[in-house]
Amino acid sequence: MSYRGGRGRGRGRGGRGGGYYGGSSGGRGSQGPQSFDSSTQPRTGGDNGGTHSDFVELLRRLDGKQYPAYHDIESSTRGWVNNIEGYTLYIGRAQGDPYAKPTRCRVIVKGDTAKFPPVSHQNKVRSVALGDYLNRVFYQSCKDMGADVKAREAGNWNGPKGGDIEISKPTQHVIEQSAVRILPNGDICAQFTVNLPARGRSILGHKAVQIFDQTLPQLVQKSLIYTSLDANVVTRHVLNVEDQEWVRSNLEIRGLVAFVPDGAILPRMSGADDRPMDETVKDGENSKLVRFHSPDTLRVSFDLPNMGKTLAGIGIRKGITLIVGGGFHGKSTLLSALQVGMYNKIPGDGREFCVCSSTAVKIRSEDGRNVSEVNISPFISNLPFGKNTECFASPDASGSTSQATNIMEALEMGAKTLLIDEDTCATNFMIRDDKMMELVHKDKEPITPFLYKVKTLSKQGISVILVVGSCGDFFDVADTTILMDSYSCYDVTTRAKQIAASRATNNGALAASRASFGNVTPRCPVGTAFNPNNGKITVRSKALIAYGDVELDLSGLEQIVSKEQTNSIALALQRLTALENGSKMTIFQVLTQLNALLDHEGLEALTNGQFDGSLARPRTFEIAGAINRLRANESFVQLK
């Protein structure tokens, strides 16, 4: 396969696990929580530098000295230049002791040394895809060489410690990341950590020489030099990702919000392993894997610009689409593929070309979430004791108020498609049947169910993809109905409309469909509310940030796919403290501005030169979701 011209936009990052193309879910190998200093000033350390020979000689002189002497190797801007291997090593602030967080390092390989064809990174999509692939190769090379293995201590304080090299662990997704990237001039920048070796608190200088003079040059040669790689595999990776982005960019002009190709593998290995389900036959058993196949009535096709083939599959049109079927027949599996369809996938993932609108947001209820000054009156009004729902706030929202909040916040940030699964919804928010309406008068029920609002949303250009298995009332408002039966997909739109027409019409739903939806009230974040109380921020997992003395739970943001994205979200939160008192910038404007900054400067804009290779780019929807969930006093004011 050769490079050809291509189009599209996008960002990328990569997959998990045992090889270049995948593995189990998780963050960064054995690394612990990610911590950030609340100061906006980078702690880049000293600025020594020189030739690689100078560096090796320095490490030898440090042998046996106390651990803090490692600060002598710090080199923030000058670097240690290895002319033989064609790269420069930069070392950030050295760790203070063997048990501290590892030392951040950066390697810059000159473009005329790496020799990647300019066409392989000629636009943003290709550049991100190439960086993603090199990250995978570097990560796997570390494992293959044993470079990621720490020295064994055998429980002895005086035993050897450290010595491991780690780089960000890829996922199944191709997202812009900071571990390996291609600079505008064609140089390759790799950022990783080195746990500087010691025995007790004494420097193991000769072990450090082995790491930096032998292991690291081999890693650079194996993973960052074009001639060391399989050119066909590199090309396939880059062009496959670009074609995925091209399909996504064409959804709007085709009147679609999502596309799933024939032959896609939607089921995953397990809830904890994001790799595709294995379709090989074991021990004489038939494979349980069913590949996706589109109904003929909903099939559309795309002529891929790079791969030179026609891709056919189901096109989910704008409007209201229901996914129905019995329990365990594949409804949620299909929706799960769509909810990460705004991210490109690695070749072989099975969900390549399962694409969804980049403005699609997954909606669910979240009992107990924090809510700050959100107008939820389109869904909820007339609460007991006169509680205001046009400016609703609660540290402990209910299932219905939290789901209403999630919808209004998504619309505030510009969402054009809502993805909803009834399994994770508040029932009283979704529907209210005739018998209940007869018993409990509407004047005593503050909730206007989603059923009665979904059509008005659709008329305003908001599409909805909804998984339902228990309520046929949604047939009255659906434009398309898809049935999943044993993981096979069928178009049952006509039958659903017939069933809806044969039943008595729900007058409440008709009345609501004629009414306006209501208002989305913009809100302005208050910068001082986002100062962490104790000055420390730690990312404990993909779904949890310790922000000062507040635990920020992100488990309701199901479209965060890596801890590296959460690391970036934590850094973005800190930027809000720079907002001026009385600022009238809405959260949409603040994050649109941040997004433009990241487009221009990349993730480096969040770290200001700290050699942080543990970042991946989140969407503005997930950054906003984190801001909205932070328990902070008076964190928003509505813009009147």
Side-chain angles (χ1 to χ4, degrees), residues 239-240 242-248 251 254 256 258-264 291-292 294 298-315 350-355:
L239 298 186
N240 185 287
E242 186 177 50
D243 275 351
Q244 291 179 56
E245 190 63 35
W246 180 85
V247 173
R248 185 178 298 104
L251 291 177
R254 299 283 293 271
L256 306 175
F259 172 78
V260 181
D262 291 338
R291 288 178 175 264
F292 185 85
S294 172
L298 298 177
R299 183 173 286 112
V300 299
S301 62
F302 293 90
D303 295 325
L304 302 180
N306 287 319
M307 301 177 70
K309 67 178 183 180
T310 298
L311 191 69
I314 188 171
R351 297 169 299 183
E352 311 99 295
F353 300 101
C354 293
V355 297

Side-chain angles (χ1 to χ4, degrees), residues 58-111:
L58 174 58
L59 291 174
R60 291 194 174 111
R61 291 200 307 270
L62 293 178
D63 187 56
K65 292 187 177 182
Q66 289 296 295
Y67 203 86
Y70 264 132
H71 288 300
D72 289 350
I73 71 173
E74 295 171 354
S75 183
S76 300
T77 60
R78 292 178 61 196
W80 301 101
V81 182
N82 190 330
N83 287 318
I84 296 176
E85 301 293 341
Y87 67 81
T88 301
L89 169 68
Y90 300 88
I91 300 176
R93 187 177 180 85
Q95 61 203 92
D97 65 68
Y99 293 98
K101 295 185 71 63
T103 300
R104 291 175 177 174
C105 298
R106 170 186 287 176
V107 158
I108 302 288
V109 183
K110 288 293 185 183

Side-chain angles (χ1 to χ4, degrees), residues 240-252 256-261 264 266 300 302 304 311 314-316 334-345 350-360 417 419 465:
N240 185 287
V241 169
E242 186 177 50
D243 275 351
Q244 291 179 56
E245 190 63 35
W246 180 85
V247 173
R248 185 178 298 104
S249 69
N250 276 269
L251 291 177
E252 176 70 23
L256 306 175
V257 295
F259 172 78
V260 181
L266 305 186
V300 299
F302 293 90
L304 302 180
L311 191 69
I314 188 171
I316 298 180
L334 174 57
L335 192 73
S336 293
L338 296 178
Q339 78 181 39
V340 292
M342 58 290 308
Y343 304 124
N344 297 319
K345 309 297 187 301
R351 297 169 299 183
E352 311 99 295
F353 300 101
C354 293
V355 297
C356 193
S357 165
S358 59
T359 61
T417 301
L419 309 175
I465 301 177

Side-chain angles (χ1 to χ4, degrees), residues 206-221:
H206 294 289
K207 174 62 176 175
V209 168
Q210 180 182 343
I211 294 169
F212 289 106
D213 190 43
Q214 298 177 31
T215 306
L216 182 57
Q218 289 180 49
L219 281 172
V220 170
Q221 181 63 38

Side-chain angles (χ1 to χ4, degrees), residues 326-537:
F328 309 100
H329 279 257
K331 304 186 302 297
S332 295
T333 299
L334 174 57
L335 192 73
S336 293
L338 296 178
Q339 78 181 39
V340 292
M342 58 290 308
Y343 304 124
N344 297 319
K345 309 297 187 301
I346 57 173
D349 172 79
R351 297 169 299 183
E352 311 99 295
F353 300 101
C354 293
V355 297
C356 193
S357 165
S358 59
T359 61
V361 176
K362 176 72 185 301
I363 300 296
R364 58 171 297 155
S365 67
E366 288 180 75
D367 283 358
R369 69 150 285 190
N370 182 69
V371 179
S372 299
E373 317 305 324
V374 180
N375 181 3
I376 60 172
S377 62
F379 293 105
I380 299 175
S381 59
N382 301 321
L383 286 176
F385 312 111
K387 189 171 178 64
N388 186 5
T389 61
E390 292 186 355
C391 191
F392 182 75
S394 173
D396 187 25
S398 68
S400 57
T401 56
S402 66
Q403 189 165 349
T405 296
N406 287 342
I407 291 176
M408 299 309 294
E409 289 173 346
L411 297 178
E412 181 183 16
M413 285 304 300
K416 294 298 183 183
T417 301
L418 305 180
L419 309 175
I420 304 175
D421 189 334
E422 69 172 5
D423 282 353
T424 56
C425 290
T427 302
N428 63 335
F429 177 80
M430 297 298 291
I431 57 171
R432 191 164 179 253
D433 64 20
D434 293 340
K435 296 184 181 68
M436 188 59 69
M437 285 191 287
E438 186 173 341
L439 181 63
V440 179
H441 194 270
K442 65 179 181 178
D443 292 340
K444 298 297 182 181
E445 174 52 70
I447 301 173
T448 302
F450 186 72
L451 170 65
Y452 300 167
K453 286 288 189 178
V454 65
K455 203 68 178 178
T456 61
L457 275 173
S458 177
K459 290 177 180 178
Q460 295 182 28
I462 308 300
S463 296
V464 176
I465 301 177
L466 173 61
V467 168
V468 288
S470 62
C471 180
D473 286 350
F474 281 99
F475 294 171
D476 292 320
V477 296
D479 299 307
T480 304
T481 304
I482 298 167
L483 171 70
M484 297 299 293
D485 182 359
S486 299
Y487 288 84
S488 295
C489 184
Y490 302 91
D491 179 6
V492 293
T493 302
T494 301
R495 178 58 180 149
K497 290 182 181 297
Q498 290 172 348
I499 293 172
S502 68
R503 302 294 193 271
T505 304
N506 187 315
N507 293 322
L510 278 177
S513 69
R514 297 192 187 103
S516 64
F517 173 75
N519 295 321
V520 178
T521 305
R523 298 170 303 139
C524 305
V526 179
T528 54
F530 295 92
N531 280 308
N533 290 342
N534 62 14
K536 188 174 183 180
I537 300 170

Side-chain angles (χ1 to χ4, degrees), residues 11 359 411-415 523 525 572 575-576 579 585-600 617-621 623-624 627:
R11 315 171 179 79
T359 61
L411 297 178
E412 181 183 16
M413 285 304 300
R523 298 170 303 139
R575 298 181 66 90
L576 293 177
L579 288 173
M585 288 188 69
T586 66
I587 184 172
F588 177 82
Q589 291 170 332
V590 169
L591 295 185
T592 298
Q593 190 178 82
L594 175 62
N595 212 39
L597 178 67
L598 295 178
D599 281 342
H600 184 256
R617 186 159 176 176
R619 301 190 306 164
T620 54
F621 295 107
I623 301 175
I627 295 170

